[in-house]
Structure formats: structure tokens, C-alpha cells
Amino acid sequence: MASTRIDWVAEHCQLLRSISAEFQDTLPFRGLTIGTGIHLEAKTVALVLTLRAGGARLVSTGNLNTTQPEALQVLQAEGITVIGEPTKDSQVHSRYLDQVLAAQPDLILDNGGDLFAKYLDAPYPGLRGGTEETTSGRMRLEPLRDRLRLPILVINDSPIKQFAENEHAVGQSTLESYLRLTNRVTNGEQVTVFGYGACGRGVAANFRGACARVTVVDVDPVTRLRAHLDGFSTPPRDAAIADADVIITVTGGRDVLTAADLPLLRDGVILANAGHFPLEIDVEGLARSPDIAGVREYDDDLMTLELNDGRRVHVISRGHMFNLAGPRPMGNSIESMDLGFALQARCLEAVANGSVDASSCVVPVPARIDAAIARSYLDRKYPAPLPIWDGS
Ligand SMILES: NC(=O)c1ccc[n+]([C@@H]2O[C@H](COP(=O)([O-])OP(=O)(O)OC[C@H]3O[C@@H](n4cnc5c(N)ncnc54)[C@H](O)[C@@H]3O)[C@@H](O)[C@H]2O)c1
């Protein structure tokens, strides 16, 4: 039988493969249920199966708009309890999350803070803690620390996640997705990137590498200075919008672009969001504006807003995170996700075995875990040389 893409990904998640082999002996999650709310795609399949190898029972659902049917099928065939289907409807998604929590998991693997925030609405006994994957989730959970009082390790705040995934991989997959979804040129185009955090730095660098002229907008003057010294132009926000052929938001904030910006937008501008939540570009607000004469929908979730004055504004994936959208979405590179998910597996292990306690509530990955994962990755790249044969 031909192998699938999920098999290809599993084959190349080398860190997870080796952790999985170890977990089969050590069984750190024996007797425990892990509830997960993270994009269900090929790489998360490898993570979920690694956790199961450690003895866990898994109850898994995806995130808004990113669940891939093949991933669902494979997990179901493996006997994992998978809840829900691909959806863009936040109320439907919310019910899926409720069903994960109804299983009263001992550990939670969260992505965006949805599960931990919902847990506080209806706490149950026995939750040991868990992990949160993203910046957006950390921002949401930090103010809830006093109520959570559980060990929750934030994968995003590992330096490895910052540079391997957020900077290098999100930058690459955003460029790949832009080309795949629009089939439009980048050379010579004026691209404005909102947000110059780790993700924005990667997006800006990759579009510059694809011969675009890149402008950065960031609300933080220190970050703007960094972008300037990195060689990007950093004009005032409205000027950057008015000049753009392409605008990409990747801030973690909301209402970064709204209907109030319609008068500034150039005819033919393309809007896309790579931030976690579909809240950065207020697509509903744009579409409802009295300035809009009509909306044209295309295949692959591309949309054009036709303005009364004849200008057209194109929107990719309705403002949902577009590097996991459209036909054949690949997401971030396998190696970057293997690194991030190895952090996930080790952090969940640390919560399960009690080596981190409630004083580690919404804190970065312990440095010892970062160091072990970095060593393990590099050891595969640079195995110890064979001893030189001395003829004896
Ligand atoms: N697409 C992906 O695969 C992927 C992967 C990882 C993270 N993310 C998401 O990307 C987003 C950004 O993550 P990050 O790690 O770069 O965050 P970050 O906090 O490092 O950087 C965000 C930057 O945006 C700036 N900012 C905030 N509001 C702004 C606004 N209104 N206008 C301009 N700038 C603004 C901040 O000053 C900051 O410099 C988050 O939502 C995160 O969850 C996406």
C-alpha cells in the first residue's frame, strides 16, 4: 500500500520518534487522560501518537478552521477519541472543547488558552496542569494565574520555539501559503507586515527574500527601531497601509485592520492574517461596510470586496490563519514542529511526574528541557565521528 503524507511526516519527526520509543518503556502517562485542543494535522498526529505511546488516553479536538480530515481519519483509525470536524463556526468549536473537558482530562494540551479558560468556568477535581502552545494563549492565561494555580508550561516562550518555529518556520510557511493560495508574484510588490515579533520578523525576512519591498508596522517603538535597523522601512501606520499591495497581520492582537481603514486601501490590495485568532482583520466589519458594493467568493476561500468607488480588496481565508488554510495546507516545516512537539511531550511528562509544581503557572519551558531537546536535535545532525582505525 502506498504511504501517505502523514506517514512521511511521522518518518521525519525524528525527535518524537525517539521520545516515543523511550515512552513505551517509561510510560509517563500510564492511567492518565490528556485532553488536547490543537490544530489536527499531520504533525499533531505524530505528537498525539507519541503521548499515547507514553500510556495516555487521548481526547482530542482541533482549532478553529485548521482541522484536516485526513488527520482525523488516521487518529480515529488509531483508536484516539477525536471530537468534532473542521469548522469555522466558533460556537460549534466551543461545543467541541466542552466535550474534551467533559472527559475530565488529567492533563491539558492547549493552543490559544481555550481549554484552560473553559476549565475555569466549570472546574473539576484532578486536573494536574499541562501546556499552552501559543503567544495568544499565554496572553489570555497570564491574568488567570491566581485562579488556575496549576503547573502550565508555555511552549511558545521556549527560545527554541521562538526561533525555530515562530521566526524561521512561520516566515517560510506564510510565504509558501501566499504563493500557493494566490499564485501571485511577490517580486517588486510592496508588502506591509503588521507585528514584528518573532513571527513578524520571519514573515518580513521571507518576503524580502522573495524580492518584495517590505514595510513593518509595530505599535512598540523599540520593536519598530529593530525593524528599521534590520533594514525594513517603518513609516507611520496609515502611510504603510496606503502604500501596500499586500498586508499581512501577525500581531496576536485584534482589530488591527478594520472598516475604518477602507478609505486608505489601494485598489487590488491583498489582506491576510497569520496570527492565531481570526480577529486581526475584521473581515465581517469590512464586508458589512456601506462602502462595499458587492462580495465575490472564489474557490479556496479567496474573496474580493468590491467597493462603491470601483476599488477591490482581496482577502485570503476570511482572515483565518492562512498558513494552515486552503488546498493542501502544509503548515510549518516538519523539523520546526518536531522541535516544538518534543518540547510539548517533555513538558507534559514533567507535569505528569510532578517535577514542576503550581509555582510554574503560565511560565516558560524549564531551561533543562530546552537544553536536552537542542542537544538531541544537534546530535542527530552531527553524530559523534567514528573512531579512526589505527590498523591494530
Ligand atoms: N501562523 C502560525 O503558524 C503561528 C505560529 C506561532 C504563533 N502564531 C501567532 O502569531 C501571532 C504573533 O506571534 P509572535 O510570537 O510574533 O508574537 P509577539 O508578541 O512576539 O509579537 C507581536 C508583535 O505585534 C506587535 N503588535 C501588537 N498589536 C499590534 C498592532 N495593533 N499593530 C502593530 N503591531 C502590533 C507587538 O508590539 C509585538 O511586537 C500570535 O497570534 C501567535 O499566536 C502563529
Side-chain angles (χ1 to χ4, degrees), residues 9 16 35 72 91 120 130 165 195 219 284 295 297 351-352:
V9 169
L16 284 180
L72 284 188
Q91 287 181 355
L120 287 179
E165 183 187 332
V219 287
E284 293 303 316
V295 177
E297 313 256 6
V351 176

Side-chain angles (χ1 to χ4, degrees), residues 153-219:
L153 303 177
V154 181
I155 307 302
N156 182 74
D157 295 342
S158 154
I160 296 178
K161 166 91 159 63
Q162 289 286 322
F163 57 71
E165 183 187 332
N166 294 14
E167 183 156 351
H168 294 301
V170 172
Q172 284 178 336
S173 67
T174 298
L175 176 62
E176 180 274 328
S177 299
Y178 179 81
L179 297 173
R180 174 171 46 84
L181 285 159
T182 66
N183 198 210
R184 295 280 305 273
V185 72
T186 52
N187 306 61
E189 296 293 279
Q190 179 65 54
V191 176
T192 293
V193 177
F194 272 78
Y196 199 67
C199 294
R201 288 198 296 279
V203 172
N206 274 271
F207 276 81
R208 174 158 69 184
C211 301
R213 293 173 294 130
V214 180
T215 288
V216 167
V217 178
D218 198 293
V219 287

Side-chain angles (χ1 to χ4, degrees), residues 246-298:
V246 179
I247 301 179
I248 298 174
T249 56
V250 60
T251 69
R254 64 186 305 156
D255 292 337
V256 176
L257 273 183
T258 68
D261 296 311
L262 277 170
L264 295 172
L265 294 172
R266 219 182 223 191
D267 179 30
V269 67
I270 297 177
L271 310 182
N273 169 49
H276 184 77
F277 290 114
L279 303 172
E280 304 208 11
I281 304 173
D282 179 15
V283 178
E284 293 303 316
L286 289 172
R288 277 200 315 269
S289 159
D291 293 343
I292 302 295
V295 177
R296 196 187 291 193
E297 313 256 6
Y298 296 86

